[in-house]
Every structure is written in structure tokens, then in C-alpha cells.
Amino acid sequence: MSATQLDAKPKRPICPSCSKPVRVCLCSRIRTRNLDNSVSVTILQHSLERNHPLNSTRIAKLGLKNLNVVTVFEVDFEARFEIRLLEPGLGLIGLESSGFDPVREKEMTQKAGFEVKGDGKCQDEKNRDLIDKNENPCEKLDKGSNVDAINGEGVVINATMIKYGVVSHLSHIWKVDTHGKKPKFEHILTSTMAKEALRGGFVVKKLERKKLEGNMELEVEENEEFEIKVPQGSVLLFPSQNAIGVDELKSMHFEVKNLIVLDGTWSKAGRVYNENPWLKLLPHLRLDLDKMSLYSEIRSQPKVGCLSTIESIVYSLKALGEKVDGLENLLDVFESMVGDQRRLKDERLSKRTKD
């Protein structure tokens, strides 16, 4: 064994469940694990937050049963998004398009008798054989079409994004008047048919695209980063300009079944939002609270009402009428985690003073 190895400090033992050092393990502090929350929660977690000592998603993972945590990376070169409907029949009869060739548009807006190349069946028919051949909503488009992603695999929206949240390409099956402006995700919701179809839920897949190094020609490698099911009744917790409060949702008789939360500092959460434009297809929910986050003593918060991920989840679930017992305990665990961090910080400062 080398002298360097002998002098190296041993690594602190880490709890495999909460990912905290054993000394400050959170597991025993949670009275009831896997609370059966009736409103499911989806957390989109910025990749740099996963190992942060103050990240509170670890508490949600221990405490909530109906929880899905998805790691989201920033776009480095390019990313592609594919969106499919959970109910494929919705929004596909009387196909509409944005920016199609007029001849192609006329073909796609026919209600029946679609021209289908190959064996006359789209992929959904091959898998389920449930669609009558005279009402086939799928059409395989010619190579080079500006909507070549709208194909027999059931993709209804296809988008390509480059760095800094810039959408370089957007195509979809609905006819939308953009008034000469560059197509945006927000424009899709101006179609009543699109709103009805997306309201039934959808699946979004993100494909990360990277340039391969060491090649004279530009070659791109594409890998799946995530695939998320966004069920009917999903809302995004995000204080955008068009966000509405819980009372407004209730007055609209909108039943929230899935709460989507962005996990990261406010700047990171903003980047996740900007680089996932499909989030703009969802109703946005805001929390009307004047509470100061427990984070405030040790982690900068821009203003009152800016809460940690676990605080946001608990207060939102309670506002939405979640009845499950044990939610308050998750806040107690979070408060104790913040206390641990404050104590460790004081210990480090004290040690430096003595040295």
C-alpha cells in the first residue's frame, strides 16, 4: 500500500436509502414510509441536484408511494422530443397540420381513405389490429417531408431543440394559424381538437443528440434520456404568468390526478422549464402562500413563497385535498435535515477558528 493510500481519508459511510451520510441518516425520522398519496407526483430533477446535500427529493422518495423521479439534463448540443397520445384515437380524425405542403395537407385532413404505403397498416394496427382500414388515422409520409416524424408510430408532436431552450423545429398533426410567426408549443393549444386530445394524457420521449468527436464529417449519436407518461389530470406546479391557483382549478371542476414539480434551484428549475417546451401544454398551478422556506437560513431563496421541493409538494397536495396522514411528518424530517446542515456548518466554522 502506497503512502498516499495510507494518508487518504476514509470515505464516509453513506445510507443507501436516503443517500445521506450515516451520521445524519433520515430514514429513522420518517414515521410512515410510502404514504399512499391519491394525487401522484412526478419530479423532474435537474441532473446537478441529485447529489446535493440539501436536496429534499430524497425525502419525497422515502415518504410517497405514488412518485416518479426523472433526471433531466441540460441540452448540450441538440435534443429531440416525441409526443404520443395515451388515447391515440383522439385528435386524429380530420388530421390537421402546421406548415404542410397544400397537397399533403389535403391528404392528411381527409377523414377516411388515407393512402398508406407498404402493407396498408400503421404500426398501431399491427400491434393491436383495432383500427378499421377505412378509418386509418396513420399515414407514412414520403422521405424528406417537413413532417416526417408524424408517422405510423403514433407521434403527434415532434420538436428539435438546440442550446438555451431554442426550438429549431416543430411539427404536429393539427392545423394552427401562427399568423406568420415561428411555430411554438403555445400555438398548439389554440386548436380545440389538440386541447381535447392532449387533455386525455400523453407520453413524451426526450432523445439526447451528441456530436461524435474525431470525425471529419458531422455525425450525431442519439440516445433516449427519458420517457414520461403524463396522465389525464396532470398539472405543472410553476408560477408562470398564466398559472392559476387551486381555487380557480376547483371552480373549473378540474380534477388533479398528477402533480409535476421541477426540482432544482430557481435558476436550474427555470432551465428545466425552458428546455422542456412540452410542459407548456399543461395547466400551470401556483401556490398562493406567504411562507418563508425552511431553506432560507442556509440556501438562498429569491423571495417569500419560494419553497423547497418537498415543501412545495406537501403544501400543494394538502391544498388539493389530499387526505393521507403523515404529510406533515415529511416537513418535520426536512426541518431536521436543514438543522443537521446548519449544525455541520457551525462545526466546520468552529474548527477553522480553533485552527
Side-chain angles (χ1 to χ4, degrees):
M1 185 177 292
S2 67
T4 303
Q5 289 175 313
L6 287 171
D7 293 337
K9 293 182 179 179
K11 290 186 177 180
R12 295 178 299 177
I14 301 294
C15 172
S17 297
C18 67
S19 303
K20 295 286 285 182
V22 171
R23 177 187 174 191
V24 288
C25 174
L26 303 175
C27 299
S28 62
R29 308 178 198 182
I30 294 183
R31 289 198 293 267
T32 305
R33 290 200 191 189
N34 297 321
L35 299 174
D36 194 9
N37 47 305
S38 59
V39 177
S40 62
V41 177
T42 301
I43 298 177
L44 303 184
Q45 184 178 56
H46 191 285
S47 59
L48 297 180
E49 283 293 303
R50 287 183 297 178
N51 298 318
H52 195 288
L54 282 173
N55 183 264
S56 62
T57 289
R58 54 172 53 91
I59 299 174
K61 290 169 73 174
L62 290 171
L64 298 177
K65 177 182 179 181
N66 299 312
L67 175 77
N68 182 29
V69 180
V70 180
T71 301
V72 180
F73 292 83
E74 292 186 24
V75 176
D76 182 51
F77 167 63
E78 198 172 75
R80 192 162 62 84
F81 296 91
E82 295 180 349
I83 294 178
R84 297 170 173 81
L85 299 177
L86 286 178
E87 298 182 37
L90 288 177
L92 295 178
I93 302 302
L95 285 175
E96 302 169 307
S97 64
S98 174
F100 285 4
D101 177 87
V103 175
R104 179 64 64 198
E105 180 171 335
K106 183 177 180 180
E107 293 175 358
M108 293 195 73
T109 52
Q110 290 177 346
K111 292 186 178 180
F114 287 89
E115 175 192 358
V116 181
K117 299 179 181 179
D119 61 5
K121 287 187 176 183
C122 67
Q123 189 63 43
D124 283 345
E125 287 181 285
K126 294 176 182 177
N127 293 340
R128 302 188 306 271
D129 201 27
L130 294 177
I131 305 175
D132 185 87
K133 66 180 180 180
N134 292 321
E135 295 182 352
N136 185 358
C138 298
E139 176 181 19
K140 187 174 181 180
L141 304 180
D142 295 330
K143 272 191 174 182
S145 167
N146 64 333
V147 288
D148 58 350
I150 314 300
N151 55 30
E153 295 180 355
V155 176
V156 296
I157 301 174
N158 188 295
T160 302
M161 172 171 284
I162 57 178
K163 294 181 72 172
Y164 310 119
V166 177
V167 177
S168 60
H169 167 81
L170 174 62
S171 58
H172 53 85
I173 65 170
W174 299 285
K175 186 176 182 180
V176 171
D177 188 355
T178 62
H179 303 286
K181 297 180 180 179
K182 184 178 180 180
K184 296 181 179 181
F185 269 76
E186 296 92 316
H187 295 151
I188 297 174
L189 295 180
T190 63
S191 164
T192 301
M193 189 177 293
K195 283 197 291 188
E196 288 299 318
L198 294 166
R199 189 178 297 168
F202 55 88
V203 174
V204 57
K205 179 188 288 187
K206 180 183 177 183
L207 299 146
E208 181 190 23
R209 309 186 79 187
K210 290 184 177 181
K211 289 189 293 185
L212 295 177
E213 301 294 336
N215 294 296
M216 296 296 292
E217 297 181 4
L218 178 62
E219 291 188 42
V220 176
E221 179 183 65
E222 189 174 81
N223 295 297
E224 181 178 320
E225 182 177 310
F226 62 68
E227 185 170 39
I228 306 172
K229 179 181 177 181
V230 183
Q232 184 178 15
S234 292
V235 297
L236 172 68
L237 182 64
F238 192 78
S240 66
Q241 187 175 357
N242 297 320
I244 60 176
V246 173
D247 290 340
E248 292 172 84
L249 272 182
K250 290 179 179 178
S251 67
M252 295 163 57
H253 305 290
F254 186 98
E255 183 183 359
V256 178
K257 298 179 181 178
N258 181 54
L259 179 71
I260 298 177
V261 181
L262 309 183
D263 180 38
T265 61
W266 278 96
S267 60
K268 289 174 186 172
R271 291 197 291 273
V272 171
Y273 181 74
N274 290 329
E275 294 191 359
N276 287 272
W278 57 272
L279 292 170
K280 294 179 173 65
L281 301 175
L282 298 169
H284 288 33
L285 175 69
R286 68 172 186 268
L287 270 181
D288 297 320
L289 293 175
D290 291 328
K291 291 181 178 292
M292 179 66 76
S293 173
L294 292 168
Y295 262 152
S296 58
E297 295 182 32
I298 53 175
R299 200 172 189 185
S300 176
Q301 301 296 302
K303 60 182 179 180
V304 173
C306 296
L307 306 173
S308 67
T309 299
I310 191 63
E311 289 172 309
S312 299
I313 291 171
V314 169
Y315 290 131
S316 296
L317 290 180
K318 291 178 68 176
L320 292 168
E322 182 64 69
K323 303 295 186 184
V324 65
D325 292 330
L327 287 176
E328 288 290 344
N329 174 240
L330 301 184
L331 295 180
D332 295 337
V333 175
F334 176 62
E335 185 174 12
S336 70
M337 185 182 79
V338 171
D340 290 339
Q341 196 67 20
R342 186 168 53 241
R343 187 182 70 254
L344 293 172
K345 181 180 178 180
D346 291 342
E347 288 177 0
R348 286 194 297 269
L349 290 173
S350 177
K351 186 176 180 181
R352 288 177 186 171
T353 303
K354 292 177 180 179
D355 293 344

